[in-house]
């Protein structure tokens, strides 16, 4: 359980293990349920296209204070693959992304921030992690530089 009292759905762990062990799932997007009591899987996909994944994060919505839809935070896990610049082959890093756009609603941002560690603790095998607050933070080149530590 997180500081906010939010539970992690068992499906979150099951899908993560499919990504980690089966390698058929390329990314998972997690969200808080509408009542803010549980972290659930919003989508799991076999599509490795970064731009498709990025658009889903950028366009995510959550319920704001008055119940209206606003830009929404999300958690995501992406099986990030890249080639080493040295020519020594390719690498794969399972990367956790905490997406919390600056213009998201205040309540969703607060609950997501206080619930993140509960999800991260439940997902064993994460190789990299970062916080993203604007669209530039999740540009492919920016993420590649972070995940590869400049070796790609």
């Amino acid at each position: 359980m997180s500081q906010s009292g939010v539970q992690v759905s068992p499906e979150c762990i099951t899908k993560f293990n499919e990504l980690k062990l089966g390698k058929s799932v390329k990314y998972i997007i997690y969200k808080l349920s509408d009542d803010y009591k549980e972290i659930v899987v919003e989508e799991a996909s076999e599509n490795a296209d970064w731009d498709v994944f990025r658009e889903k994060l950028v366009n995510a919505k959550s319920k704001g204070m008055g119940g209206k839809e606003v830009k929404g935070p999300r958690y995501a896990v992406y099986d990030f693959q890249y080639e080493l610049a040295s020519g020594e082959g390719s690498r794969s890093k399972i990367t956790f992304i905490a997406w919390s756009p600056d213009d998201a609603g205040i309540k969703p941002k607060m609950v997501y921030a206080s619930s993140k560690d509960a999800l991260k603790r439940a997902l064993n095998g994460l190789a990299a992690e970062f916080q993203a607050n604007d669209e530039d933070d999740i540009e492919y080149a920016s993420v590649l530089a972070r995940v590869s530590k400049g070796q790609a």
Side-chain angles (χ1 to χ4, degrees):
M1 185 184 297
S2 70
Q3 292 174 344
S4 60
V6 171
Q7 301 283 333
V8 176
S9 160
E11 183 192 14
C12 294
I13 299 162
T14 303
K15 281 294 176 196
F16 177 75
N17 287 333
E18 285 178 27
L19 180 143
K20 183 171 76 170
L21 304 173
K23 295 291 185 185
S24 62
V25 174
K26 290 300 177 191
Y27 69 81
I28 307 163
I29 298 175
Y30 301 98
K31 71 173 196 161
L32 285 168
S33 58
D34 287 341
D35 62 5
Y36 290 94
K37 294 193 187 298
E38 186 175 39
I39 299 170
V40 297
V41 172
E42 181 174 46
E43 179 179 351
S45 178
E46 296 179 9
N47 184 351
D49 185 329
W50 179 262
D51 292 328
V52 170
F53 166 74
R54 184 181 175 281
E55 281 303 306
K56 291 187 184 284
L57 288 182
V58 168
N59 294 317
K61 303 281 186 215
S62 290
K63 291 220 186 293
M65 292 295 249
K68 67 176 191 160
E69 283 203 337
V70 294
K71 278 193 169 185
R74 291 293 186 270
Y75 309 114
V77 173
Y78 190 92
D79 187 6
F80 203 89
Q81 299 184 347
Y82 59 94
E83 298 293 323
L84 292 174
S86 61
E88 295 176 14
S90 61
R91 296 287 185 269
S92 173
K93 289 204 176 167
I94 298 174
T95 304
F96 182 88
I97 302 164
W99 168 246
S100 187
D102 290 330
D103 52 354
I106 293 168
K107 180 180 179 183
K109 283 170 63 170
M110 288 175 30
V111 179
Y112 272 82
S114 62
S115 305
K116 176 176 81 171
D117 286 340
L119 180 59
K120 281 179 27 191
R121 277 194 306 272
L123 305 178
N124 295 317
L126 295 169
E129 173 211 342
F130 67 92
Q131 173 78 35
N133 298 97
D134 69 38
E135 293 184 31
D136 291 343
D137 293 342
I138 53 174
E139 287 291 343
Y140 183 82
S142 170
V143 175
L144 177 63
R146 276 190 196 175
V147 171
S148 71
K149 296 185 172 112
Q151 295 182 1

